[in-house]
Amino acid sequence: MTGFPILSMMLAIPALAAIACFFLSAQSARWLALAATLADLALGVILWLSFDIGGAQWQFVEYAPVFGRFAWALGIDGYALLLIMLSVFLMPICIGASWQAIEKRVPEYMAMFLLTEVLMIGTFAAQDIFLFYIFFEAGLIPMFLIIGIWGGANRIYASYKFFLYTLLGSLLMFIAMLYMSITADTTSIPALMNYDFPPDVQTWLWLAFFASFAVKMPMWPVHTWLPDAHVQAPTAGSVILAGVLLKLGGYGFLRFSLPMFPEASESLVWLVFGLSAVAVIYTSLVALVQSDMKKLIAYSSVAHMAIVTIGLFAFNAQGIEGAMLVMLGHGLVSAALFLCVGVIYDRLHTREISRYGGLANNMPRYAVLFLLFTMASIGLPGTSNFPGELLALMGTYQVSTTIALLCTTGIILGAAYMLYLYRRVVWGEIKSEEVRAMPDLSTRELWLLAPIAAVVLWMGVYPESFIAPMRADTERLMARIERAKPAGDSLPTPGTGVAPAAHGAGHAATGSSAAVSDAHGEAH
């Protein structure tokens, strides 16, 4: 693949297809969007197979100066590879999920999804700090339009809330980027990752980036835009929002906050841990009382992403690799759960849990797949979320036993709200003739859910496939942040070792001790 601009090609195909969609009929736009996303998936597979595990940190590098310091600079490491693969894997599924559900302004809708794919891949592949910012922020525009035009009854409120929350958080980040590029005299992300900013300046830069990434994750208490956006978004919009867009914040912490500001990350780790612990418990309890299926899954996403943040800031390989696996696993499982909600919403046109019940009787295939994704969300061994959550919590335990204990309660609460949801929707008696008349999964719906189910099981059974590409990058990151690693409370403090005495010396020591004891007694 040397010399072939595969990353630029992966950006060009959906971009050109998006432009072409505006000049096509609805059905032609659907087929073009599907073809473009499948072509990007094929290129993604080539990218995956061509990636040299354990080789150079940055691979498939492309560089073309534009003006000044700004350049068209692309390249990926193991972290970016995994998130690009997640993006190109979910996009054809999103197009398939919209095949019948979207009937108005179809060409524009397909163009927005193709544009979203361009911006997601660009964000993960950008190696220039301002190119990253353009891709990162421009991703707001198509999702804002997808929610605002094709969303539910309260779509305008939800779309503006989503846009304003995420945009305002990023303004501080842009100012910080300007300062960094001037101070370091470069806009290259790889160069900035190895530049040592003064510790007092790091704190302010870290907080500026945190303002943006915390909203994107989202972290408590700036998470309130997410439930509204999910409830109002069309099914495919929720899939790509939960599946990929929430991962931009985690990727930002991994690419910027930790390697560029290690001392600030260590000094402010208490803030990340505190907010994450509150998020896990609070949003899990809120999810437990939801009556709307989409809102329940949205709140569960906040809890899962809190596991990501504690893992990333555990300052050890277990935590970081676990956080990445949670991002991948949650991207798959949350996407599948939103698709499952969309399947029954298309039949009954309601997301109210109380309207359902007994679906196992007339939708057995749906019940089986929904059960798999429910168990995966809980973190059942053998499914995608288990290895990531285990590693993230084990990594956190090495730093703070208290935070690890608090966040582990999220798994218990997660089991409570997910199993409670499944019992009310799938088991029990059929409550109405409308529910009784609901048909089982169609062939198209099976084709949407089956690939996700296969990868969920693959990740759970053999996570090494997903850990191997990022292992070398984690080692490099650990070498960079090791100097700022916080002291943990999970291990006893090592004492001073005492060399074993020789046999004769031991007797002499015993005799000396006895003599000291006798002298002590005589003194008394």
Side-chain angles (χ1 to χ4, degrees):
M1 297 301 297
T2 304
F4 180 71
I6 187 170
L7 295 174
S8 291
M9 188 65 69
M10 293 180 74
L11 296 174
I13 290 174
L16 294 173
I19 296 170
C21 279
F22 288 106
F23 304 98
L24 298 175
S25 65
Q27 194 65 7
S28 297
R30 290 187 181 102
W31 283 109
L32 178 61
L34 181 61
T37 53
L38 287 173
D40 251 21
L41 176 58
L43 288 174
V45 172
I46 295 171
L47 198 71
W48 174 279
L49 296 175
S50 304
F51 188 81
D52 182 14
I53 295 175
Q57 180 176 10
W58 303 106
Q59 302 183 31
F60 309 101
V61 175
E62 303 172 28
Y63 184 87
V66 179
F67 60 86
R69 295 193 186 101
F70 182 71
W72 177 261
L74 302 177
I76 61 169
D77 60 358
Y79 299 132
L81 171 71
L82 292 168
L83 291 169
I84 287 174
M85 287 305 300
L86 178 65
S87 304
V88 298
F89 176 73
L90 290 179
M91 282 307 298
I93 294 173
C94 289
I95 301 301
S98 309
W99 207 264
Q100 295 176 353
I102 302 299
E103 297 177 346
K104 70 173 184 178
R105 306 182 75 169
V106 174
E108 292 89 344
Y109 177 90
M110 295 299 168
M112 290 303 103
F113 264 91
L114 291 166
L115 183 58
T116 301
E117 182 172 29
V118 173
L119 298 172
M120 292 187 307
I121 296 172
T123 301
F124 297 132
Q127 289 205 305
D128 183 278
I129 196 169
F130 292 114
L131 185 63
F132 169 87
Y133 185 82
I134 292 169
F135 282 127
F136 185 81
E137 287 306 306
L140 296 175
I141 299 169
M143 186 53 62
F144 170 76
L145 295 173
I146 287 168
I147 298 172
I149 297 174
W150 293 277
N154 205 20
R155 60 187 180 273
I156 303 299
Y157 168 78
S159 60
Y160 273 101
K161 189 174 183 180
F162 161 75
F163 187 83
L164 292 174
Y165 259 75
T166 49
L167 177 65
L168 291 174
S170 297
L171 293 178
L172 290 174
M173 182 175 75
F174 181 69
I175 296 171
M177 286 179 170
L178 288 172
Y179 172 86
M180 291 163 63
S181 65
I182 294 170
T183 302
D185 195 31
T186 181
T187 60
S188 167
I189 291 176
L192 288 168
M193 288 172 65
N194 292 297
Y195 186 87
D196 293 323
F197 293 97
D200 55 334
V201 175
Q202 282 188 31
T203 301
W204 295 107
L205 296 175
W206 189 94
L207 289 170
F209 278 82
F210 182 76
S212 176
F213 298 148
V215 174
K216 284 278 190 183
M217 289 291 289
M219 295 179 69
W220 182 89
V222 289
H223 67 286
T224 56
W225 62 268
L226 184 66
D228 291 322
H230 271 311
V231 167
Q232 299 304 320
T235 297
S238 291
V239 168
I240 211 64
L241 179 59
V244 182
L245 292 180
L246 298 190
K247 312 305 177 283
L248 297 179
Y251 178 76
F253 284 134
L254 202 55
R255 183 64 75 229
F256 294 90
S257 302
L258 283 167
M260 295 184 190
F261 322 123
E263 282 79 16
S265 296
E266 186 276 331
S267 64
L268 292 165
V269 72
W270 59 269
L271 175 64
V272 176
F273 279 4
L275 295 179
S276 300
V278 172
V280 168
I281 298 170
Y282 171 74
T283 56
S284 295
L285 292 172
V286 172
L288 198 55
V289 298
Q290 292 305 309
S291 59
D292 184 300
M293 282 185 278
K294 266 195 169 184
K295 267 198 173 182
L296 188 152
I297 300 168
Y299 279 110
S300 78
S301 292
V302 180
H304 279 100
M305 296 312 289
I307 302 294
V308 172
T309 49
I310 62 166
L312 289 175
F313 286 88
F315 279 78
N316 54 57
Q318 280 181 323
I320 291 168
E321 290 176 354
M324 268 299 298
L325 287 179
V326 173
M327 283 200 279
L328 296 174
H330 175 263
L332 295 168
V333 173
S334 63
L337 287 171
F338 280 117
L339 285 172
C340 287
V341 173
V343 164
I344 54 178
Y345 178 81
D346 289 343
R347 289 157 170 75
L348 202 59
H349 301 290
T350 180
R351 293 182 300 271
E352 289 296 316
I353 299 171
S354 59
R355 293 286 302 277
Y356 295 94
L359 291 185
N361 295 295
N362 55 319
M363 300 180 69
R365 289 180 295 186
Y366 174 84
V368 169
L369 284 170
F370 192 17
L371 178 63
L372 170 63
F373 299 130
T374 298
M375 292 301 175
S377 179
I378 294 169
L380 184 75
T383 59
S384 58
N385 283 18
F386 173 73
E389 291 181 358
L390 178 66
L391 286 172
L393 289 169
M394 287 175 65
T396 305
Y397 183 81
Q398 296 176 34
V399 180
S400 172
T401 53
T402 303
I403 296 298
L405 176 64
L406 291 173
C407 290
T408 302
T409 61
I411 296 176
I412 301 168
L413 293 170
Y417 60 70
M418 288 307 300
L419 291 174
Y420 188 39
L421 168 68
Y422 189 83
R423 184 188 71 80
R424 288 180 289 171
V425 172
V426 175
W427 299 134
E429 297 295 324
I430 295 178
K431 296 181 179 179
S432 67
E433 291 304 314
E434 290 175 308
V435 174
R436 191 182 302 277
M438 289 169 59
D440 205 354
L441 293 174
S442 65
T443 303
R444 177 182 64 86
E445 290 163 341
L446 273 173
W447 274 105
L448 298 178
L449 292 171
I452 303 179
V455 180
V456 163
L457 293 173
W458 177 16
M459 273 195 74
V461 173
Y462 194 67
E464 174 63 16
S465 300
F466 303 88
I467 296 175
M470 61 174 160
R471 183 171 284 121
D473 296 297
T474 303
E475 291 172 357
R476 295 184 186 100
L477 179 59
M478 287 305 303
R480 171 73 178 158
I481 66 177
E482 187 70 31
R483 67 176 190 263
K485 185 175 181 179
D489 65 357
S490 64
L491 299 175
T493 303
T496 303
V498 178
H503 184 67
H507 282 291
T510 304
S512 299
S513 298
V516 171
S517 179
D518 290 343
H520 184 68
E522 289 172 5
H524 279 285

